[in-house]
Amino acid sequence: YLKSAIDSSLNQTYPNTEILVADDGSTDGSQEIIRSYGDRIKPIFKSNGGHASALNAGFAQSCGDIICFLDSDDVFLPTKVEEVVQVFSRLKDISWVFHPLLEIPTEELEQDNFVLSIVDKNRDSPDTLKENYKTIDFREQIIAGKQPNFVPQTSAISFSRQVIKNIFPLPEDQRTYVGDTYMSMICVSQSKGVVLDKKLSLYRLHGNNAYWSMQINKSRETFAKLHIITGYWWQTNAPNLSKYTNKFFSKGLGCFWLIKNPEARYWKFVQDYFARLSIKEKISVLILSLYYCSKTILYKTIP
């Protein structure tokens, strides 16, 4: 899927872009594909260190004032960057732009001219952009511990360098995904932004896709690990999010209790997390975790 992702980044209607491709120690021929683009992209070849380490390597070498992220199995629509730049240009006091993803089975995405047909269906006149976005300030909501009504995935997030530079480097964990959720929640807790009411990236559905697999299999273990690790690093690096973080972490712990033979390293994260809590917070997190555990058992799903 890598070639489609790179091609979609190169085929943007906005011309002033740099495309960095971070290869996280692949062994499947991806490096040959990346090298075939020559100086049209900036390749970054590194040893395998996990998703967050690839994001860190890419950001460290980036120069742009606006940073857009794209997973290697997804696709940008041609106007993605242009529309994101327009919003940042019109609204000088925002730091992030999110939008929904259009979920597409991979067999459809591989059809000839499929992307062009999507563009034609969603083509706007020059004056309609102002109707497609909404300025949102989640700061009070998140600090109060409430869940925002829109949490984007990697290929749907764009940040100003001014806000994202305070979050990088991301915590690196080779065996557990730490990325879009971690970045997004810290960013929206620091500044206001925009949610575009338009799908500007295509999210490829396939068997190896982590989130898609989780949706099908109701993977408690994947869910638990993500919430425990992300919650731990929020607690470490964003203490102002304690109410939200405790609720998020409790969902993971409630699922984690149901895993047979869990890895010991995750218990260490749990122990370290609790060691930083007050007595009142410990009781609250335990009660919440019991609630989510019971809910998971009752409805045979994930919270």
Side-chain angles (χ1 to χ4, degrees):
Y1 310 132
L2 177 60
K3 190 176 185 303
S4 295
I6 296 175
D7 287 345
S8 76
S9 299
L10 288 167
N11 295 330
Q12 290 295 302
T13 56
Y14 185 77
N16 189 24
T17 61
E18 63 170 359
I19 295 141
L20 299 99
V21 182
D23 181 278
D24 190 42
S26 67
T27 59
D28 61 355
S30 293
Q31 294 189 11
E32 287 74 17
I33 293 174
I34 293 169
R35 288 190 178 95
S36 71
Y37 286 89
D39 60 4
R40 299 172 70 197
I41 65 175
K42 294 183 180 180
I44 302 168
F45 299 111
K46 57 181 291 297
S47 58
N48 181 249
H51 188 268
S53 72
L55 292 175
N56 286 337
F59 180 75
Q61 295 195 35
S62 67
C63 300
D65 293 326
I66 299 170
I67 311 295
C68 303
F69 296 94
L70 178 64
D71 281 337
S72 60
D73 51 356
D74 294 337
V75 170
F76 281 165
L77 290 180
T79 61
K80 153 83 179 213
V81 176
E82 180 180 6
E83 299 200 42
V84 168
V85 169
Q86 284 183 21
V87 175
F88 273 108
S89 297
R90 292 184 183 187
L91 305 172
K92 303 298 184 181
D93 59 343
I94 64 167
S95 298
W96 51 268
V97 173
F98 300 158
H99 62 76
L101 295 173
L102 182 60
E103 297 183 348
I104 302 293
T106 192
E107 58 271 16
E108 292 185 25
L109 192 52
E110 295 302 321
Q111 293 176 6
D112 291 342
N113 298 320
F114 179 81
V115 173
L116 292 177
S117 69
I118 295 294
V119 173
D120 288 339
K121 289 178 183 178
N122 292 276
R123 192 179 301 278
D124 287 337
S125 67
D127 297 326
T128 56
L129 178 62
K130 60 186 178 182
E131 302 172 1
N132 287 334
Y133 67 78
K134 180 180 181 181
T135 304
I136 295 180
D137 192 338
F138 285 127
R139 285 176 287 186
E140 290 185 5
Q141 181 179 342
I142 293 177
I143 291 173
K146 298 178 182 178
Q147 172 73 41
N149 56 10
F150 182 69
V151 181
Q153 292 166 247
T154 307
S155 301
I157 58 179
S158 302
F159 300 109
S160 69
R161 176 173 292 277
Q162 184 177 5
V163 70
I164 201 70
K165 69 181 181 181
N166 299 322
I167 296 170
F168 276 83
L170 304 177
E172 296 185 9
D173 189 294
Q174 189 168 4
R175 288 184 283 170
T176 304
Y177 180 88
V178 178
D180 47 11
T181 304
Y182 176 86
M183 288 189 292
S184 298
M185 290 304 101
I186 296 183
C187 280
V188 301
S189 73
Q190 295 180 356
S191 59
K192 63 181 180 180
V194 160
V195 175
L196 268 169
D197 185 22
K198 190 171 184 182
K199 297 174 180 178
L200 296 174
S201 302
L202 306 183
Y203 180 69
R204 186 192 299 267
L205 303 178
H206 58 87
N208 294 324
N209 183 296
Y211 280 97
W212 180 240
S213 298
M214 187 174 74
Q215 182 180 346
I216 293 174
N217 300 321
K218 309 299 183 184
S219 174
R220 293 173 181 171
E221 185 169 2
T222 300
F223 182 90
K225 290 177 178 179
L226 170 66
H227 280 65
I228 287 172
I229 295 293
T230 303
Y232 171 84
W233 285 113
W234 276 339
Q235 185 195 53
T236 303
N237 297 325
N240 63 312
L241 302 183
S242 59
K243 291 183 179 179
Y244 181 83
T245 300
N246 287 342
K247 185 180 294 185
F248 187 91
F249 183 87
S250 297
K251 290 183 178 182
L253 184 57
C255 280
F256 192 66
W257 284 338
L258 301 175
I259 299 172
K260 295 180 179 179
N261 302 317
E263 295 179 53
R265 67 187 295 263
Y266 292 98
W267 281 121
K268 182 66 167 60
F269 280 108
V270 172
Q271 291 168 1
D272 290 346
Y273 189 96
F274 270 89
R276 300 171 182 171
L277 298 178
S278 66
I279 296 296
K280 182 178 179 181
E281 287 176 315
K282 289 177 182 177
I283 294 171
S284 175
V285 169
L286 286 171
I287 291 173
L288 272 176
S289 299
L290 285 169
Y291 166 75
Y292 289 122
C293 182
S294 301
K295 188 175 180 180
T296 301
I297 295 172
L298 181 61
Y299 294 104
K300 297 181 180 179
T301 183
I302 50 179

